[in-house]
Amino acid sequence: MPIETLHVPTPDGPADAIVAFPDGGGRHPGVLMYPDGFGIRPALRELAAELAGHGYSVLVPNVFHRHGPTPLLDLPEHIDRDARPAIFARLMPMIEAHTTELVRRDAGPYLDALAARPQTAPGPVGVTGYCIGGLYAVHTAAAHPDRVAALAAFHAPVGAAGPESFRRITARAHFGHAASDLTSEQFEALERELDAAGVDHRSEIYPGTVHGFTMPDTDAFDPAALRHHWDRLLPLLGATLTD
């Protein structure tokens, strides 16, 4: 699938991003894909290209653009347990500095840039994200309920968004949790919050998974769970973004 680089104007300067879209021209439903904390890299390009191959125009932003352009971190080809401490020592300050206010400030420009692409069809879009990017996807759906019809988050701290954000969401949602990320009691508490807020959603704990299970360049990767993620994400997008 073709992949291009672009720069999205934001109130705090340009954010670099990639956009992937199907071969053959035409206009396709848009999906804003938030990366995990490790950012844009070959693994994210593969995910974006895979989704584009199913008929979507996909934009992946560098969410930490205030700290510089991609690549922000010198990542190894495979991120294992030994590599994580040094990576997270540099990554966590950026995550902590990227407040909910900044997420919401950037969300509109990202959606505008996606809509402006000649490959993107008019109409509502989907938003998906991985790890911390899943939380950013939730905040985006809450900030722009008139624009976001589908929401998905995988191995993400969904509960950190809180009831105030949940109540603003009108998108249909899927949340795929890693088994290592929350207990059954925490899962049930989150379900109660989502139900009380009226979020039209499906939530699952993906059995036997650990945080980061969708990412093939990490030791958390679970091929079966990645396939399951596609089995949930694609029908959600198909039901909400296409006629």
Side-chain angles (χ1 to χ4, degrees), residues 65-86:
H65 61 88
R66 292 170 181 83
H67 300 271
T70 302
L72 286 168
L73 301 173
D74 183 16
L75 296 173
E77 289 187 9
H78 184 74
I79 302 169
D80 59 20
R81 184 177 302 177
D82 293 336
R84 286 175 183 271

Side-chain angles (χ1 to χ4, degrees), residues 34-53:
Y34 283 106
D36 63 356
F38 298 135
I40 299 172
R41 60 195 192 283
L44 263 296
R45 289 175 175 269
E46 291 172 10
L47 283 172
E50 174 75 14
L51 184 53

Side-chain angles (χ1 to χ4, degrees), residues 186-200:
Q186 290 169 328
F187 176 80
E188 291 168 3
L190 176 58
E191 285 295 281
R192 287 193 295 271
E193 283 193 354
L194 291 165
D195 288 339
V199 180
D200 179 5

